Amino acid sequence: MTPNPIQDESRKSYELPRTLAWSGGVDGTLALLDQTLLPHRVKNRVCSTAEDVWNAIRELCVRGAPAIGVAAAYGLCLGTRPFRRQSRDDFLAKTREICAYLESSRPTAVNLAWALGRVSKAAQSHPSASVGEIWDAMLAEAHELAREDMETCRRIGEVGAHLIPEDGGVLTHCNAGALATVAYGTALSLMYIAREQGRKFRVYADETRPLLQGARLTAFELSAAGIDVTVLCDGAAASLMSSGKVQLVVVGADRIASNGDTANKIGTLGLALSAKYHDIPFYVAAPRSTFDLSLPDGGAIPIEERPEAEVRGGFGVDVVAPGVRCFNPAFDVTPVELITGIVTEVVLLEPVTAKNIKQIFERGA
Amino acid sequence: MTPNPIQDESRKSYELPRTLAWSGGVDGTLALLDQTLLPHRVKNRVCSTAEDVWNAIRELCVRGAPAIGVAAAYGLCLGTRPFRRQSRDDFLAKTREICAYLESSRPTAVNLAWALGRVSKAAQSHPSASVGEIWDAMLAEAHELAREDMETCRRIGEVGAHLIPEDGGVLTHCNAGALATVAYGTALSLMYIAREQGRKFRVYADETRPLLQGARLTAFELSAAGIDVTVLCDGAAASLMSSGKVQLVVVGADRIASNGDTANKIGTLGLALSAKYHDIPFYVAAPRSTFDLSLPDGGAIPIEERPEAEVRGGFGVDVVAPGVRCFNPAFDVTPVELITGIVTEVVLLEPVTAKNIKQIFERGA
């Protein structure tokens, strides 16, 4: 079996707790850093069933498209583990059922389905193996996904780090960092690598209502890494851009359609519009697993609507008059015409076209 | 002395508490509805000194450019009242001093200086009167300002109500309503008058971080008036526009330069950019007292920066990691090229030009 790569010490320099880690072997559990408690409490949530993982994803204990993909992969291993002594057909039927269940936890991030597909495929590609061996191969694939995610994220940073302006300001939204992935992050990986390269720059982090992932998570991880970061309300971003303090906007993505239209955390579209008006380059950073080539454009991306309570009382105080509705979409879609480029782990797509997107799936990794 | 107009019952139909009211005569006090406690507590803060009013303005107990103008006018009366037995010169010197003090409470809204100017002028325009009579004239002028504000706001609504789309959606930001003025509001006055005219429409209220005036105040007053209102996070506005649910954006203003560039609550610029991209008309509603013809353009408007704590811990919970800075400008400037029109109490300016702005100060009220 592949050694568990996320027990190594690769993130030590960032002084960050791990987003997720599998502990133990066949009888192991998945520890997820409970991100709903950050920045004040650093506490793991230990999952030993698929239901545990489904709840952790749904409640945003683990979030970020790549991280929920890897978490779900481990969740599939946890969910199928009790059936290792059943017949092959029963086991594979259970695998399909648990896959569909885990996929239902959040609809927008395509990495979730992609990662579950990878683990399912590992199950099916061992026709002569025993069910126990099949399950071992599934866990090995989950470990492999975790290892790949870390490597992929680092490569995204290496491909895009040159975009980070020396002595300039970089604006980001939500958290597309180490906490959204196994390590490094997507958008924030550019910053970590630029910093390794000795570049100096300032980061502005939109707080990102309703759940404040920018204020709570991005500021936490960048400051832990010694990167200069300032938090602002989402509504202040346009004004910050007009003041000339921002030379680059870079965000993550939850799903990218085949034409380049990009779903990302609610608020991203407004940022992209402001960046366009102020002539500031606007980049998306995402692994190839974020692309959904089955969709012609962003109009086909399902957008999760989350509970009103996140807007109404996300801080323990009910701020909206009784009887007034709240609208709480978790994502929006930024049309490709507003996107300067997409940083992937293999190449920087700039400009973004359906043709060059297709090409990154044709060549080798 | 002019009867106190804001003790009438004109707002009864809206079931709203009064934004501000002077109680009593010469020895009276100013009751300000403490808007920091809304929507859950309806409590007045009683001011009997200029310091009380300065603190109430600074702490946003009373807010909204027209309302702080009227509150400051009464504050000047309260501040000068102890000097009614002094010499005329001493009294006028005190008046100037207290004027400057009250003006320092918030730098962006020009209505503050305008209203204080009106009351000061009333003091100076009675050269043969006793100091006691001068003070009476100042209080009468404050009452007159309050009466005018109510009338002005109603007329803004009448001038602009036809813009509210039948069966359509209207997006607004912050609170430019009855709670931001003596009655009716500016942007929301269009909605109140449209409703009186029997029009049906839906309002979307940006929550307006950091202090949530949209969620706390706009939703409160619109729902009290029986108008359909939905609250959304500021970052969701662009997405809402792209979904086709918004046919009009209308906001208030804190200061408008002579070319039409408009300072309003932080987040307005981003809304205007989104409206432009989605081809949705973007209107500003404001009385003439909001214009500052001494400024060539928006670059000259002073922008108040408010305490970091409003961003960091606006919900009673510290959401940002220790040591991370927060940037908290209270306003931004929307360039005139993004503004479809400005609704004033005398005319709808559309398009907005330096020339037609100048004209509204040349004709009679």
Side-chain angles (χ1 to χ4, degrees):
Chain A
M1 200 185 300
T2 316
N4 182 342
I6 54 179
Q7 282 176 352
D8 73 15
E9 293 296 309
S10 62
R11 293 204 301 177
K12 203 169 53 181
S13 62
Y14 300 139
E15 293 171 34
L16 259 190
R18 290 178 188 293
T19 308
L20 48 76
W22 180 267
S23 304
V26 170
D27 297 320
T29 53
L30 178 67
L32 297 173
L33 175 63
D34 188 347
Q35 301 193 26
T36 65
L37 306 175
L38 290 176
H40 295 296
R41 285 185 66 195
V42 176
K43 193 174 173 237
N44 280 333
R45 184 155 153 177
V46 177
C47 299
S48 52
T49 66
E51 288 75 17
D52 289 348
V53 175
W54 191 94
N55 287 325
I57 293 173
R58 184 68 151 205
E59 295 162 21
L60 310 189
C61 159
V62 61
R63 26 66 52 202
I68 64 178
V70 177
Y74 282 117
L76 183 55
C77 298
L78 290 169
T80 51
R81 184 165 59 188
F83 307 103
R84 275 184 302 167
R85 315 242 170 268
Q86 296 201 352
S87 75
R88 181 189 171 81
D89 283 354
D90 287 355
F91 180 85
L92 291 179
K94 268 288 167 198
T95 300
R96 282 190 296 273
E97 188 186 306
I98 295 165
C99 242
Y101 166 69
L102 285 164
E103 219 181 305
S104 74
S105 59
R106 295 197 71 190
T108 302
V110 73
N111 318 56
L112 183 58
W114 171 84
L116 288 166
R118 282 271 304 262
V119 178
S120 301
K121 205 170 155 192
Q124 285 145 10
S125 60
H126 293 72
S128 63
S130 71
V131 172
E133 285 166 336
I134 288 175
W135 189 85
D136 289 349
M138 289 166 69
L139 182 60
E141 186 69 6
H143 286 333
E144 172 60 16
L145 278 168
R147 190 198 61 75
E148 277 179 23
D149 183 63
M150 202 163 12
E151 188 182 300
T152 295
C153 286
R154 187 168 169 96
R155 290 177 66 183
I156 287 171
E158 289 165 351
V159 168
H162 69 278
L163 299 171
I164 304 287
E166 175 73 31
D167 274 328
V170 183
L171 179 67
T172 188
H173 190 67
C174 196
N175 174 264
L179 293 166
T181 61
V182 176
Y184 298 109
T186 53
L188 300 201
S189 185
L190 277 62
M191 305 175 198
Y192 291 128
I193 303 300
R195 184 147 191 281
E196 282 183 19
Q197 295 170 353
R199 211 146 334 141
K200 285 199 188 78
F201 51 92
R202 287 166 298 288
V203 180
Y204 296 96
D206 279 353
E207 63 171 9
T208 317
R209 277 280 286 154
L211 295 179
L212 301 172
Q213 292 92 336
R216 294 191 303 106
L217 309 179
T218 296
F220 174 73
E221 66 166 273
L222 290 177
S223 65
I227 293 175
D228 182 334
V229 56
T230 300
V231 171
L232 63 154
C233 292
D234 305 326
S239 166
L240 186 76
M241 291 190 211
S242 77
S243 76
K245 288 183 181 153
V246 177
Q247 280 70 48
L248 171 73
V249 181
V250 58
V251 299
D254 291 79
R255 193 183 301 215
I256 304 174
S258 58
N259 73 336
D261 289 353
T262 296
N264 189 46
K265 177 59 54 192
I266 192 75
T268 302
L269 171 59
L271 273 198
L273 288 167
S274 289
K276 184 84 165 182
Y277 181 76
H278 294 105
D279 225 357
I280 298 167
F282 179 92
Y283 287 91
V284 170
R288 286 180 296 175
S289 56
T290 309
F291 288 83
D292 184 348
L293 299 189
S294 75
L295 304 183
D297 57 47
I301 301 176
I303 298 296
E304 175 183 7
E305 247 190 77
R306 294 192 52 87
E308 290 191 62
E310 291 179 354
V311 177
R312 170 183 294 287
F315 304 89
V317 180
D318 193 338
V319 291
V320 178
V324 173
R325 284 185 312 278
C326 298
F327 171 58
N328 187 22
F331 304 96
D332 59 26
V333 174
T334 300
V336 65
E337 70 191 56
L338 300 174
I339 298 171
T340 311
I342 301 179
V343 186
T344 75
E345 70 274 35
V346 287
V347 71
L348 169 60
L349 300 173
E350 182 177 351
V352 183
T353 63
K355 194 176 161 195
N356 66 13
I357 288 174
K358 207 169 157 212
Q359 280 169 351
I360 61 172
F361 293 91
E362 285 165 0
R363 62 167 95 182
Chain B
M1 197 186 301
T2 317
N4 182 344
I6 54 179
Q7 281 176 353
D8 73 16
E9 294 295 312
S10 63
R11 293 205 302 176
K12 204 168 54 181
S13 63
Y14 299 140
E15 295 170 32
L16 258 191
R18 289 178 189 296
T19 307
L20 48 76
W22 180 267
S23 302
V26 170
D27 296 322
T29 54
L30 178 67
L32 297 173
L33 175 63
D34 188 346
Q35 302 194 25
T36 64
L37 305 176
L38 291 176
H40 296 296
R41 284 186 67 196
V42 176
K43 193 172 172 240
N44 280 333
R45 183 155 154 178
V46 178
C47 300
S48 51
T49 66
E51 288 75 18
D52 289 348
V53 175
W54 192 95
N55 287 325
I57 293 173
R58 183 69 151 206
E59 295 163 21
L60 309 189
C61 158
V62 61
R63 24 69 52 203
I68 63 178
V70 177
Y74 283 116
L76 183 55
C77 298
L78 290 169
T80 52
R81 185 165 58 187
F83 307 104
R84 274 184 304 166
R85 316 238 171 272
Q86 297 202 350
S87 76
R88 181 188 172 82
D89 283 353
D90 286 356
F91 180 85
L92 291 179
K94 267 290 166 198
T95 300
R96 281 190 297 274
E97 188 186 306
I98 295 166
C99 242
Y101 166 69
L102 285 164
E103 220 181 305
S104 74
S105 59
R106 295 196 71 190
T108 302
V110 73
N111 319 56
L112 184 58
W114 172 85
L116 288 165
R118 281 272 302 262
V119 177
S120 302
K121 205 171 155 192
Q124 285 146 9
S125 61
H126 293 71
S128 63
S130 70
V131 171
E133 285 167 335
I134 289 175
W135 189 85
D136 289 349
M138 289 167 68
L139 182 60
E141 185 70 6
H143 285 333
E144 172 60 17
L145 278 168
R147 191 197 62 74
E148 276 179 25
D149 183 63
M150 202 165 10
E151 187 182 299
T152 295
C153 286
R154 188 170 168 94
R155 290 178 66 184
I156 288 171
E158 290 166 350
V159 168
H162 68 279
L163 299 170
I164 304 288
E166 175 73 32
D167 274 329
V170 183
L171 179 66
T172 188
H173 190 67
C174 195
N175 174 264
L179 293 165
T181 60
V182 176
Y184 298 109
T186 53
L188 300 201
S189 185
L190 278 62
M191 304 175 200
Y192 290 128
I193 303 298
R195 185 147 190 281
E196 283 182 19
Q197 295 170 352
R199 212 147 331 141
K200 286 198 188 79
F201 50 92
R202 287 166 298 288
V203 179
Y204 296 95
D206 280 352
E207 63 172 9
T208 317
R209 276 282 285 154
L211 295 179
L212 301 174
Q213 292 92 336
R216 294 190 303 105
L217 308 179
T218 296
F220 175 72
E221 66 167 272
L222 290 177
S223 65
I227 293 175
D228 182 333
V229 57
T230 300
V231 171
L232 61 154
C233 292
D234 304 327
S239 166
L240 186 76
M241 290 190 211
S242 77
S243 76
K245 288 183 182 153
V246 178
Q247 280 69 49
L248 171 73
V249 181
V250 58
V251 298
D254 291 80
R255 193 182 301 214
I256 304 174
S258 60
N259 72 336
D261 289 354
T262 296
N264 190 47
K265 176 59 54 192
I266 192 75
T268 302
L269 171 59
L271 272 199
L273 289 167
S274 288
K276 185 82 164 184
Y277 181 76
H278 294 104
D279 224 358
I280 298 167
F282 179 93
Y283 287 90
V284 170
R288 286 179 298 174
S289 55
T290 309
F291 288 83
D292 185 346
L293 299 190
S294 76
L295 304 183
D297 57 46
I301 301 176
I303 298 296
E304 175 183 7
E305 246 190 78
R306 294 191 53 86
E308 289 191 64
E310 292 180 353
V311 177
R312 170 183 294 286
F315 304 90
V317 180
D318 193 338
V319 291
V320 178
V324 174
R325 283 186 313 278
C326 298
F327 171 59
N328 187 21
F331 304 96
D332 59 25
V333 174
T334 300
V336 65
E337 71 192 55
L338 300 174
I339 299 171
T340 310
I342 301 180
V343 186
T344 74
E345 70 274 35
V346 288
V347 72
L348 170 60
L349 301 173
E350 183 177 351
V352 183
T353 64
K355 194 176 162 194
N356 65 13
I357 289 174
K358 208 170 157 213
Q359 280 169 351
I360 61 173
F361 293 91
E362 285 165 0
R363 62 168 94 181

